[in-house]
Amino acid sequence: MTAMRHGRTRRTALGAVCVLVAAGPLVTGCSEDPDAGTNGVGKLPAERIQAKTEAAAGSADAVRLAGTVVTSGRTYRLDMRLKSGGGTGSVTSQGATFQLLRIGEQLYLKADAGFWKHADGEGDDQGTDAAAADKLDGKYVKVPTGDPSYKKFSGFTDKDVLLDGLLTLHGTLAKDGHHEQGGVRTIRITGDKGSGGTLDVSLKGLPYPLRLVRAGGAGTLTFSAWGEDFALAEPAKDETVDYGRQLPTS
């Protein structure tokens, strides 16, 4: 706290001096270095910044990401915690919210009865009947690896898949000034002046990505808890249901 107060006092004092100098007969180029006390990536070209933030993200053991992803015309609101062994969190789409949990290769989906009642099956099956839906209500339902839902939803629990697909900006890269995200100073880089996406990179510690606006209105995500481990535990047997065949498609 003392170091922070000293830093703020220095910036405030310097700002006051600049105002006084500018008010005099001779205006000078008095300004504080925006990269002073940072990790220094703000001084690098945009291409180098992107490379460094991708390397930092790839080296982290865990991360939390929250926000929206638009894919195939559908918007998903995510709040996920991810690491190499799996992930856990919530997904909301078209007004329905469900929980995902993946431990190794095993994926579980947890939702209320309303979610399952509105699921549409294939062939002669039209959704899940009320009795079956009530049995699935609030349970961790095992998703078979061969089920279409497995590929669709397991990607939301895979740190490497998500980050590899999300962090690339499109077009010509450029820097777009110094900003702040969640109280942390950042350097912002853009693709094609923002139409190819924007990425805020931390100027504190490792250059982790902190906020991403995807190209083409494909969603906005924030990243936090970089490197902070969390527990992944198999749900209790009385909370688990093995559906035993292809799940209804939501």
Side-chain angles (χ1 to χ4, degrees):
M1 292 295 292
T2 302
M4 289 178 64
R5 285 197 294 270
H6 286 170
R8 290 173 181 168
T9 301
R10 177 179 176 275
R11 287 196 291 271
T12 302
L14 181 58
V17 171
C18 290
V19 170
L20 291 174
V21 171
L26 180 63
V27 178
T28 68
C30 183
S31 63
E32 184 179 9
D33 179 1
D35 292 300
T38 72
N39 55 22
V41 298
K43 298 181 179 181
L44 301 176
E47 292 81 0
R48 291 279 308 281
I49 296 173
Q50 184 178 47
K52 282 186 171 293
T53 195
E54 288 177 346
S59 69
D61 293 328
V63 65
R64 179 178 182 176
L65 65 84
T68 57
V69 172
V70 181
T71 179
S72 301
R74 179 174 291 189
T75 299
Y76 297 92
R77 181 169 295 279
L78 312 178
D79 188 355
M80 302 294 301
R81 297 202 68 175
L82 311 170
K83 60 181 179 179
S84 59
T88 184
S90 66
V91 179
T92 300
S93 180
Q94 296 183 325
T97 298
F98 53 94
Q99 308 291 318
L100 291 175
L101 169 64
R102 183 177 62 83
I103 302 174
E105 295 298 316
Q106 182 60 64
L107 176 67
Y108 300 90
L109 190 155
K110 180 180 178 181
D112 61 18
F115 173 90
W116 296 111
K117 287 176 183 177
H118 288 88
D120 291 327
E122 297 183 357
D124 295 332
D125 294 332
Q126 294 298 319
T128 307
D129 62 44
D134 288 340
K135 290 181 180 179
L136 300 179
D137 180 35
K139 300 291 187 179
Y140 286 95
V141 179
K142 288 185 177 182
V143 182
T145 56
D147 189 280
S149 297
Y150 187 92
K151 183 177 181 181
K152 183 177 181 180
F153 293 136
S154 63
F156 289 144
T157 66
D158 193 312
K159 170 181 172 287
D160 293 335
V161 168
L162 270 180
L163 294 184
D164 287 347
L166 292 174
L167 292 181
T168 300
L169 300 178
H170 302 283
T172 303
L173 299 182
K175 293 193 291 187
D176 187 29
H178 291 71
H179 299 267
E180 186 177 292
Q181 178 63 36
V184 178
R185 296 161 68 188
T186 66
I187 182 70
R188 181 172 297 169
I189 57 176
T190 65
D192 280 348
K193 299 181 179 180
S195 63
T198 68
L199 184 65
D200 279 54
V201 178
S202 176
L203 290 175
K204 178 182 179 182
L206 291 177
Y208 290 125
L210 297 184
R211 182 175 185 268
L212 170 72
V213 179
R214 301 181 70 203
T220 299
L221 290 164
T222 58
F223 305 87
S224 61
W226 285 104
E228 296 180 15
D229 196 16
F230 59 96
L232 282 175
E234 294 278 356
K237 289 186 177 181
D238 60 356
E239 297 179 355
T240 305
V241 173
D242 190 344
Y243 200 72
R245 60 185 178 90
Q246 182 171 305
L247 300 183
T249 302
S250 172

